[in-house]
Amino acid sequence: MRILSLLLIVWAHSTLAQEPENWNIFNKNTLYKSDSGFIRDVKLKGRYHGQYISQDEDIGGVKDNEYDVYHHRRARIQMDFDFDHNFSFGFDANISDGHGSRTALSDEGSFVNNFQTFNLQWKPSDKYYFIIGKDKQDITREDIQSSRYIKTVERAPIVNEIGQQRPWGAQVGFFTKGIEHRFGAWVYGAHEDGPEWVDFRANKGLSYNLTYPVKDDLSFHFDWNFVNNEGGRERARGDASVGTFGSAYEHAFALGFDYEKGPFKVISDVIYGANREGVSVSKGSAAIPAGHDTWGFYVLPSYKITDKLEGVFRYQYMGSGREQRTQRFGHDGDGDRNARLNVENYHSVYSGFQYFLSEENLKLMAGYEYAWGELLGSDTEINTGSWQLAIRTYF
C-alpha cells in the first residue's frame, strides 16, 4: 500500500502538472443556470481526500506501537441550489468514511452514510441572514476552515478535542457597524438509521460567534458553544441513538485572530473547555472524570514560497484531553486500531508544505508531526512521531 500511494503521488505530479494552470474539469460542475424563474443555479460538487500515515509511538521510553497505513479520509458528494429571493439549499453527503474504504452502500444498503451538512439559507439583505438544518458549529479559526482548504493534513489536537461539531439547528446572523454576530440553537443527536435525521430527544444547546474586522488584513474572533450535558455527567446525545454531533464540553470558548499580508498568513486561538463528559481509563492513563476542564492554544503560520509551493508550521498545546488524529491510531495491543489515550501537558509541532497542482482543487501535502506529553494522572511520558502524506482534490 505504501508503494501504491507513492506511485500515485508521483504519477499525479508528473502527468497532471503538465495541464494548464486552471483545469476546465474543476469548473464544469454547473448543472443548471438561469437568470429568471425560481431555480437560478444547480451545482454538483465533491471531494476526495486520501492520506498515508507512518507513525511510531513510545510510552515511558518503550516503543508502544507502529502504524503504517493509507486512509481514505473523506469522500463526499455535494449539491448546491440557488433560488430566487436570496434562498439557497445545499447538502454535503459522506459516501465513505473511516481509515478504510467502508461505505454505507456495502454496510447498510444506503448510498449516503450521513450528511456532513444539510441546510436551507436565506439572506434577505447584506445585514442579516438565517440558516436552518445541519451545519458546522463554528469554533476556532482552524476548525471553521473547510477541509478543502486546511493547510495541515489534520487539525490540531486541542481543536479536535473542543470542536468538529455538526449538529442540527437554527442560526441567525447580523451585522452591526461591520461586526458580525451569529446566534445558534442546536439539537445534538440523531436517529440511528442513515442518513441520521435529527432526533429531538437529544440534549439541546446554544452558540454565539463574533467576527470583528480590525482592517482588511486582520480580524479578531470570539466563539462560544454550549451543550446541556449536566455538567459533564451526560453525553450530548441524551436519549438519541446517535450523538457525535455535540462537544464533549458543556462550555467551549475560543478567542483568536486571522492575519494575512501578501504571501504570509497566520491564524491562532486560545481555547478553553469546561465540564467535560467522563472518559474511562485508557492503557495506563487515569480516567477523565465528568466535569473536567481543559485549555490550550495553537499558532499556525504559513508562507507562499511560490505560486505552487507553500510552507506550513504549527505549534499547539493541550492541557488535558484525548489523543486525536493522527496520534490515536495503532494501539494494536488494545485490540483497537482507533484507541485514544488520555493525555496531559500535551504539545505537538507540525512542519510541512503544500504543492498546488491546480490551486486548491488538486494539491499534494506532506509534513512531519511530533507530539509529546504525559499519560493523564501520571508522569509517564508519551512521544509520537508521524510522517504524513496526502492528496486533496475537490470540484
Side-chain angles (χ1 to χ4, degrees):
M1 183 61 75
R2 180 188 301 188
I3 295 175
L4 179 61
S5 304
L6 293 176
L7 287 175
L8 176 63
I9 292 174
V10 171
W11 173 83
H13 180 269
S14 62
T15 303
L16 303 180
Q18 300 173 15
E19 296 293 328
E21 187 71 22
N22 295 302
W23 298 347
N24 290 332
I25 186 173
F26 294 119
N27 300 320
K28 293 185 180 297
N29 60 356
T30 300
L31 304 182
Y32 176 83
K33 190 173 182 63
S34 175
D35 293 329
S36 61
F38 181 66
I39 302 176
R40 296 300 178 91
D41 191 89
V42 179
K43 289 184 177 180
L44 172 65
K45 299 179 179 180
R47 76 188 74 176
Y48 173 76
H49 295 169
Q51 59 199 44
Y52 173 76
I53 308 297
S54 179
Q55 173 182 289
D56 291 283
E57 186 169 77
D58 295 341
I59 297 179
V62 178
K63 186 172 182 177
D64 181 68
N65 71 69
E66 183 177 357
Y67 186 76
D68 298 272
V69 75
Y70 182 84
H71 294 177
H72 298 286
R73 181 66 174 90
R74 301 177 185 91
R76 297 176 188 164
I77 294 295
Q78 180 178 343
M79 291 288 294
D80 288 343
F81 302 83
D82 288 334
F83 305 111
D84 195 12
H85 306 297
N86 297 311
F87 281 97
S88 64
F89 167 74
F91 64 82
D92 196 1
N94 288 303
I95 60 174
S96 179
D97 59 5
H99 70 270
S101 58
R102 181 177 72 84
T103 64
L105 182 62
S106 62
D107 282 4
E108 301 173 7
S110 173
F111 178 68
V112 175
N113 188 29
N114 54 35
F115 289 109
Q116 195 79 356
T117 59
F118 187 98
N119 56 57
L120 176 69
Q121 302 185 27
W122 181 40
K123 190 175 182 180
S125 80
D126 291 335
K127 297 196 178 293
Y128 59 97
Y129 58 88
F130 302 90
I131 305 172
I132 184 168
K134 193 172 190 290
D135 201 14
K136 178 182 283 189
Q137 192 176 53
D138 290 349
I139 188 163
T140 79
R141 300 322 93 217
E142 190 179 38
D143 190 31
I144 286 171
Q145 187 67 267
S146 168
S147 64
R148 294 173 295 180
Y149 308 115
I150 56 175
K151 297 176 182 292
T152 58
V153 176
E154 295 290 352
R155 295 179 174 92
I158 184 60
V159 172
N160 283 334
E161 174 74 12
I162 296 291
Q164 290 289 286
Q165 279 62 251
R166 290 173 176 81
W168 294 86
Q171 302 173 78
V172 56
F174 57 93
F175 295 83
T176 58
K177 298 182 178 180
I179 301 173
E180 181 180 1
H181 308 264
R182 186 193 299 187
F183 291 91
W186 306 94
V187 181
Y188 292 110
H191 294 283
E192 184 174 6
D193 294 336
E196 301 180 354
W197 299 113
V198 61
D199 188 339
F200 289 98
R201 297 175 302 168
N203 288 353
K204 315 302 189 296
L206 302 169
S207 66
Y208 171 69
N209 306 95
L210 179 146
T211 298
Y212 175 57
V214 180
K215 49 186 178 180
D216 290 342
D217 53 15
L218 176 64
S219 59
F220 288 103
H221 304 263
F222 172 75
D223 308 307
W224 167 67
N225 291 343
F226 165 72
V227 177
N228 182 20
N229 69 359
E230 296 296 327
R233 295 185 297 273
E234 194 173 305
R235 295 197 173 192
R237 74 181 186 185
D239 294 328
S241 299
V242 177
T244 56
F245 304 151
S247 174
Y249 293 85
E250 184 176 32
H251 295 276
F253 304 89
L255 182 63
F257 71 89
D258 187 323
Y259 175 76
E260 185 169 8
K261 189 75 169 179
F264 177 73
K265 180 178 176 67
V266 59
I267 58 174
S268 181
D269 282 278
V270 177
I271 306 160
Y272 183 79
N275 294 334
R276 196 195 200 285
E277 66 183 43
V279 179
S280 61
V281 175
S282 178
K283 196 175 184 178
S285 299
I288 301 177
H292 189 77
D293 298 346
T294 191
W295 79 281
F297 66 94
Y298 72 90
V299 180
L300 197 164
S302 59
Y303 188 84
K304 206 75 175 288
I305 302 168
T306 69
D307 288 341
K308 289 187 172 292
L309 183 65
E310 183 176 41
V312 181
F313 176 84
R314 183 186 64 212
Y315 169 77
Q316 79 87 47
Y317 173 80
M318 179 171 68
S320 62
R322 305 174 74 188
E323 282 187 305
Q324 301 290 334
R325 290 180 177 265
T326 60
Q327 292 80 19
R328 75 190 194 193
F329 295 111
H331 299 282
D332 295 331
D334 297 332
D336 184 359
R337 297 189 68 86
N338 192 23
R340 301 190 187 194
L341 302 183
N342 303 332
V343 295
E344 62 184 355
N345 193 27
Y346 195 66
H347 310 254
S348 70
V349 173
Y350 177 97
S351 181
F353 68 87
Q354 301 189 95
Y355 185 77
F356 304 97
L357 295 168
S358 182
E359 299 179 347
E360 294 280 2
N361 294 111
L362 179 59
K363 65 183 181 181
L364 304 177
M365 307 175 75
Y368 180 78
E369 186 171 19
Y370 183 71
W372 70 99
E374 293 91 39
L375 297 182
L376 184 67
S378 76
D379 57 2
T380 303
E381 294 184 353
I382 179 170
N383 299 271
T384 311
S386 55
W387 291 100
Q388 305 172 24
L389 303 174
I391 183 168
R392 300 285 192 256
T393 183
Y394 79 92
F395 61 91

